[in-house]
Amino acid sequence: MTQLKAHLVGDFSNLRHMMTTGEGVGQPPVLMQITPADWDGEPVLIARQALIESLDEPYRVHIYRFRESRRNSQLIQDIYVVPEAAHNERDASMLRHAELLQGCSIRWQAEDDQFVGVRDGRRCAFLDEHGRQIAVSSQLLLTEEQLIVEDRAVAMGGDIIVGSPLGDVSVYERIRFFSADIAFLPSGAQASDADAWLGVAPHRPLHDHDVRIPLTASADGMFIGHDIQVLGFATDENRLQVRLYRLSDVNPHQDVTMEFDGATWHAETERFRIRLTPIERFQSD
């Protein structure tokens, strides 16, 4: 149970999988953040889903409650839905609004250092707005770095509503967001002149899933003609690489491994001084 929860807690996104495989292109990438919370003395997890472009506006919030099966070695994850009106309430208040999704629990089985999960479509069923009964089944694989979900929703009569005959697979990988302290030296300025360095900031939230993000001047919001890209590594959480691009270039003009001091990452090039600090998007009570 402890390992299952540890694998689930964190920030996950399908962005890198979409970029790498092309699957789901045309749909906005998603952030799923799962954080611990306390429900009347019982430890639970809160799962918030938001679009990468609107990180602080979750469109779906679920509560995960866990118990052990009385019949076998399975771990059961019960799922509660938080209504939209309560999405932005603090955890303690939000939990009071949660409603159990009857029959839609996930049953996890440990296999070495990973978990295989199943949602039974014979039990997880509901009526849609047309009065049709919809059955939802899922196959899940959870590792320390990934959550892979294959959902399938079928209407009475066999019509597939969600997924394909082979299933609809979403691959969520751990993602980290950073606050950035960046100084930029304009062309022709002297690095020894402290006043010549300009403060700049990413135009969009900065994360380690390999996306080029334009840099803008902190003073006036004007684009400075450079993009930044941060790359994380699943095999080494302390390793970060930063790439800097001129706006029209395909290849980076700087590619630097960032130094880690135990709390932040930093790098310095001829025209950039960069310090990155990890941030959390949602805070629990």
Side-chain angles (χ1 to χ4, degrees):
M1 185 72 78
T2 300
Q3 187 179 22
L4 173 64
K5 292 180 180 179
H7 280 10
L8 283 169
V9 169
D11 293 346
F12 299 84
S13 178
N14 60 349
L15 174 59
R16 180 180 285 153
H17 179 74
M18 292 172 63
M19 293 173 56
T20 303
T21 65
E23 295 178 10
V25 170
Q27 301 295 323
V30 170
L31 169 73
M32 178 165 55
Q33 186 177 69
I34 305 177
T35 55
D38 181 271
W39 193 348
D40 294 333
E42 177 185 352
V44 296
L45 301 181
I46 298 181
R48 298 171 172 92
Q49 286 185 252
L51 302 181
I52 287 287
E53 299 297 327
S54 306
L55 295 176
D56 298 315
E57 301 175 9
Y59 63 84
R60 179 180 298 143
V61 179
H62 286 167
I63 311 300
Y64 299 160
R65 205 170 186 174
F66 297 88
R67 53 191 170 93
E68 296 182 4
S69 172
R70 296 178 179 179
R71 299 180 179 178
N72 50 44
S73 60
Q74 291 180 336
L75 304 173
I76 302 173
Q77 174 187 326
D78 294 324
I79 300 173
Y80 293 73
V81 176
V82 175
E84 184 176 357
H87 280 186
N88 292 309
E89 294 186 12
R90 295 187 65 82
D91 292 358
S93 176
M94 176 191 297
L95 292 168
R96 288 196 291 269
H97 300 284
E99 296 183 6
L100 176 65
L101 272 178
Q102 294 286 350
C104 295
S105 300
I106 296 171
R107 294 177 175 268
W108 294 100
Q109 183 70 51
E111 295 186 1
D112 297 325
D113 59 348
Q114 63 185 24
F115 295 85
V116 175
V118 176
R119 189 194 330 258
D120 189 345
R122 295 170 298 179
R123 298 179 180 178
C124 185
F126 59 91
L127 297 178
D128 68 5
E129 64 272 21
H130 305 295
R132 296 179 302 177
Q133 181 167 311
I134 308 296
V136 179
S137 58
S138 303
Q139 299 284 333
L140 303 94
L141 177 64
L142 175 66
T143 71
E144 190 173 359
E145 296 298 333
Q146 286 187 330
L147 173 61
I148 302 174
V149 183
E150 181 179 333
D151 286 326
R152 197 161 179 261
V154 180
M156 184 178 294
D159 293 336
I160 297 175
I161 308 301
V162 173
S164 68
L166 299 178
D168 186 22
V169 179
S170 297
V171 178
Y172 297 93
E173 297 180 89
R174 290 192 181 275
I175 184 171
R176 289 179 293 179
F177 290 84
F178 304 92
S179 61
D181 180 11
I182 305 175
F184 170 66
L185 185 67
S187 180
Q190 297 297 316
S192 58
D193 181 2
D195 294 332
W197 290 85
L198 302 178
V200 299
H203 183 57
R204 297 190 299 274
L206 186 63
H207 53 74
D208 64 354
H209 270 209
D210 314 355
V211 174
R212 287 176 58 167
I213 297 175
L215 292 170
T216 61
S218 300
D220 55 18
M222 297 293 290
F223 293 98
I224 67 168
H226 290 266
D227 293 345
I228 187 171
Q229 180 185 42
V230 178
L231 292 78
F233 298 87
T235 56
D236 185 354
E237 64 179 10
N238 293 331
R239 183 183 173 200
L240 284 182
Q241 195 167 351
V242 63
R243 293 175 178 171
L244 298 162
Y245 298 80
R246 295 182 182 89
L247 202 56
S248 58
D249 291 349
V250 174
N251 297 316
H253 65 84
Q254 295 283 343
D255 190 341
V256 181
T257 298
M258 304 193 75
E259 298 293 330
F260 183 60
D261 62 14
T264 65
W265 289 262
H266 52 92
E268 185 169 341
T269 71
E270 184 179 352
R271 298 180 65 187
F272 285 92
R273 295 170 179 170
I274 305 169
R275 182 176 295 274
L276 303 182
T277 304
I279 59 176
E280 296 182 5
R281 282 288 156 185
F282 302 100
Q283 298 292 333
S284 297
D285 287 349

